[in-house]
Amino acid sequence: MSTILAIEANRLNPQTGPRSVEGKAASSMNALKTGIYAESSIIRGENAGDLRQLTSEYYERFAPATPEERLLVDTLVHDEWLLRRFRRIDAALFEYQFKNYVHPDPATDPGRAFSNVSNTFARLQRRISETERSYLRVLKELQHLRATRTDLPQAVDPAHIQPIAPPVKPLGFVPQPAPEAVPSPLPQPSPAPVPVPSGRRRIAM
């Protein structure tokens, strides 16, 4: 049970957690069930909100259901985040060299910058190539792992779909419905014979 002093301390100091913009953006990663932590993945000039959005997109795309799938998805996010960083570094290396030139020349400065730090660009390219290979390898492994899951809907091969046959018209004699019965006319009464007077002979006409 909380003591009176603890309750009073909580009342006087209700603000907990990060207060800065960077800290709040980093703590927002906690809502995702992932092993990526913005505190250790963000360097100067990067936005924790961008990493959070990238992670959300990958988790929405693959919906990892096991720890193994979660690890692979986290690796994909990490690799893409590194590739974005390396592209910024590539541009920053040129800008860094341009600022050191006393007499800048827009026509030749890019070539001069590359020549001055060609070894640095080579090391950067190796990091980019390694990260790209890692991304493709992990993506292939994740796709293979997901293909063995039984809870995912399986795609139907179009070659196995049987077309729906049209209805077949019957051949030969087809019984027709009986016509409605027409009532026969009522019999008419015969005319009564004409009486013949006695003493006369009736001549047949």
Side-chain angles (χ1 to χ4, degrees), residues 66-133:
T66 63
E68 295 82 1
E69 291 184 3
R70 185 173 66 245
L71 173 61
L72 295 175
V73 173
D74 286 348
T75 305
L76 291 178
V77 176
H78 178 71
D79 287 346
E80 180 170 341
W81 189 251
L82 285 181
L83 290 174
R84 293 185 181 186
R85 177 182 299 170
F86 293 153
R87 295 187 185 102
R88 291 192 302 269
I89 292 176
D90 183 86
L93 285 174
F94 282 102
E95 292 295 333
Y96 179 76
Q97 292 295 316
F98 296 160
K99 292 181 179 180
N100 294 330
Y101 295 153
V102 179
H103 302 289
D105 183 1
T108 60
D109 281 350
R112 181 166 50 163
F114 184 84
S115 177
N116 291 338
V117 290
S118 58
N119 292 334
T120 303
F121 278 110
R123 293 198 306 269
L124 177 62
Q125 184 57 48
R126 284 197 297 269
R127 291 292 308 276
I128 293 175
S129 300
E130 292 172 357
T131 306
E132 289 176 343
R133 287 194 297 269

Side-chain angles (χ1 to χ4, degrees), residues 18-36:
R19 299 183 182 183
S20 63
V21 177
E22 294 79 4
K24 291 180 180 180
S27 64
S28 63
M29 295 288 294
N30 297 334
L32 296 174
K33 296 180 179 179
T34 173
I36 296 177

Side-chain angles (χ1 to χ4, degrees), residues 50-61:
D50 294 339
L51 177 58
R52 180 177 181 274
Q53 180 180 357
L54 180 64
T55 306
S56 300
E57 291 173 354
Y58 270 87
Y59 269 71
E60 182 179 356
R61 165 67 177 85

